[in-house]
Amino acid sequence: MNYLSTRGHPDRKRFCEILLEGLAPDGGLYLPEQYPQIDTATLAKWRKLPYAELAFEILSLYIDDIPPADLKAICAKTYTAEVFGTDEIVPLRELEDGVYLEALSNGPTLAFKDMAMQLLGNLFEYELARRGAELNILGATSGDTGSAAEYAMRGKKGVRVFMTSPDGRMSPFQQAQMFSLQDANIHNIAITGVFDDCQDIVKAVSNDLAFKRKYRIGTVNSINWARLLAQVVYYFAGYFQATASNDKPVSFTVPSGNFGNVCAGHVARMMGLPIHTLVVATNENDVLDEFFRTGVYRVRGAVDTHETSSPSMDISKASNFERFVFDLVGRDPARLRKLFVDDLGLNGSFDLSADPAFAQAAGRFGFRSGRSTHADRLATIRDTDKRFATLVDPHTADGLKAAREQLTPGVPMVVLETALPIKFAATLVEALGEEPARPKKFEGIEALPKRVVKLPADAEAVKAYIAEHCD
Ligand SMILES: *Cc1c(COP(=O)(O)O)cnc(C)c1O
């Protein structure tokens, strides 16, 4: 399997070459040259497989530069009941007639990002050992991504993590999750400033090419193809649990921010998994809902990006969206460049409303969308508690609301549960008047010793810290 760039760069790469990279050299995103097609006999065989073996089968179609026995061992080591809480790994439960929740949030940090990040940690360790290389991951987080990365990379050979976060701005639970890690290769850096300051620091350090090369700086952001690929697996696992045979269609609703999660659903559908509809659920930051309703993609500025009670969906532009649009415009890199380089660069938006391709988003590709507000989230959390004695987090609540607006009679609707409610306790308290129960392993974590340094919002200070902790 070879990988190409959405923007038309002539080079083709193998999986392990793009594993440790971010963007393609021309600024595009990597995609496989074609999507492997799954026939009904293969689907029938896969239906019976445990999750780790299913992951191996799917990954094998996209990864041909890791020996199968090694890849199989990596999958087996990643997707265990010990790490993800159950043998099913992503258990499905029916909430009401035809509406299901797929639990993706029982990994170490209680959000779905663990599903991909845990695999990435093991792939990184494997590939770095094979190359005899080291990597220093520098990131900025306001919560979910940073903790998922730290729990995936802790104790891994060849990898260090330097994670910046805005001092005092994460929830006490999220701070405790990250800062209580005592592993020598994990470095928490609390920046006196806001999240944007942290992101600016990461950019400034990455733009210092000499520093970047000398200290082998890398990232683990959501455009990484390996993360997306890992997420394809749970669409298959969810499909098998929601159906008794492989001729039945299933729809999925996905609480969305950077379009990574739902893009994995798109890939599963392109491979031939019988997915009826993919519903993109957004909050007040509705750039994606606007596109699927109108054909206009308009990225937002900082002032138009709202801080909401589903903060992991608070995005101004969706970094994986280019992958879907590439397929939408018939994989034509010239058209893609016009949209993402010329139009977005010049006007901050592009308009496909009059283009025949736009009709295909809903038609051929099965996309729908929805939007929720804070009031919707509170109402959904209360309603789900009252009618089904089930607590959902605010992101999953956004999903449930959008899902109910897009039901097709006779087609199961699977809503992806992207976090557990305890991670967003303040909103649960606002909705229900009490804190959700917390899993045993997180009891009392706020009282654990904290491992964190405080630095000013200054890239030079962060560089000095990295240099000092790299030998
Ligand atoms: C990251 C995240 C999302 C958004 O996922 P994307 O892949 O960026 O679309 C939704 N919910 C939660 C809880 C998250 O952590």
Side-chain angles (χ1 to χ4, degrees), residues 105 110-113 144-145 222 227 231 254-262 288 310 312-313 315 319-320 393 395-396 417-420 423-424:
S105 304
L110 311 183
F112 87 98
K113 291 191 174 65
D144 287 351
T145 308
S222 83
R227 276 181 68 179
Q231 294 169 354
V254 188
S256 293
N258 277 317
F259 205 78
N261 199 353
V262 75
L288 290 167
S310 45
S312 299
M313 295 157 63
I315 50 107
S319 50
N320 277 288
D393 99 289
H395 306 78
T396 309
E417 180 183 55
T418 54
L420 289 197
K423 286 204 95 165
F424 301 96

Side-chain angles (χ1 to χ4, degrees), residues 21-285:
E21 271 183 46
L23 294 171
D26 58 358
L29 303 186
Y30 288 113
L31 274 177
E33 275 190 315
Q34 70 279 323
Y35 297 112
Q37 296 301 299
I38 306 308
D39 57 24
T40 45
T42 309
L43 263 191
K45 207 172 69 197
W46 286 3
R47 176 174 281 278
K48 303 182 201 87
L49 296 180
Y51 194 91
E53 285 177 41
L54 178 64
F56 168 68
E57 294 293 332
I58 294 173
L59 265 50
S60 302
L61 301 174
Y62 292 91
I63 304 174
D64 52 14
D65 51 354
I66 295 178
D70 292 356
L71 187 59
K72 197 164 192 162
I74 290 170
C75 291
K77 166 167 147 186
T78 303
Y79 296 111
T80 64
E82 199 191 355
V83 174
F84 289 98
T86 59
D87 287 333
E88 292 88 353
I89 308 295
V90 290
L92 192 76
R93 85 189 124 134
E94 189 167 29
L95 202 57
E96 63 192 293
D97 201 21
V99 179
Y100 300 79
L101 281 179
E102 184 173 358
L104 305 182
S105 304
N106 296 306
T109 73
L110 311 183
F112 87 98
K113 291 191 174 65
D114 290 329
M115 294 301 306
M117 210 69 94
Q118 287 288 314
L119 180 78
L120 201 67
N122 288 326
L123 285 170
F124 273 19
E125 186 173 55
Y126 175 86
E127 183 58 17
L128 289 168
R130 199 156 70 155
R131 295 183 189 185
E134 285 189 0
L135 187 70
N136 292 303
I137 294 167
L138 174 64
T141 192
S142 52
D144 287 351
T145 308
S147 56
E150 291 190 353
Y151 279 75
M153 304 297 166
R154 61 187 296 200
K156 294 278 186 291
K157 287 186 276 302
V159 189
R160 289 185 201 88
V161 178
F162 295 89
M163 191 57 66
T164 62
S165 60
D167 185 30
R169 301 215 176 212
M170 288 190 295
S171 75
F173 183 81
Q174 284 181 319
Q175 283 186 43
Q177 256 189 333
M178 290 176 54
F179 300 170
S180 63
L181 291 181
Q182 300 296 326
D183 306 75
N185 71 328
I186 303 295
H187 298 272
N188 288 302
I189 305 175
I191 298 291
T192 347
V194 295
F195 177 60
D196 281 338
D197 295 315
C198 301
Q199 271 192 316
D200 288 345
I201 290 171
V202 172
K203 266 186 225 152
V205 175
S206 303
N207 287 339
D208 180 343
L209 294 182
F211 184 89
K212 191 178 170 193
R213 201 168 317 115
K214 178 162 183 210
Y215 290 102
R216 300 166 305 274
I217 302 293
T219 56
V220 287
N221 49 29
S222 83
I223 56 153
N224 183 292
W225 168 254
R227 276 181 68 179
L228 205 142
L229 179 58
Q231 294 169 354
V232 172
V233 180
Y234 54 69
Y235 285 88
F236 282 83
Y239 175 84
F240 293 137
Q241 292 178 82
T243 55
S245 62
N246 297 325
D247 50 357
K248 302 271 188 300
V250 170
S251 296
F252 287 87
T253 298
V254 188
S256 293
N258 277 317
F259 205 78
N261 199 353
V262 75
C263 195
H266 165 68
V267 171
R269 194 173 183 277
M270 295 301 280
M271 292 169 72
L273 186 68
I275 295 178
H276 185 276
T277 305
L278 286 165
V279 183
V280 179
T282 72
N283 61 21
E284 292 88 335
N285 297 294

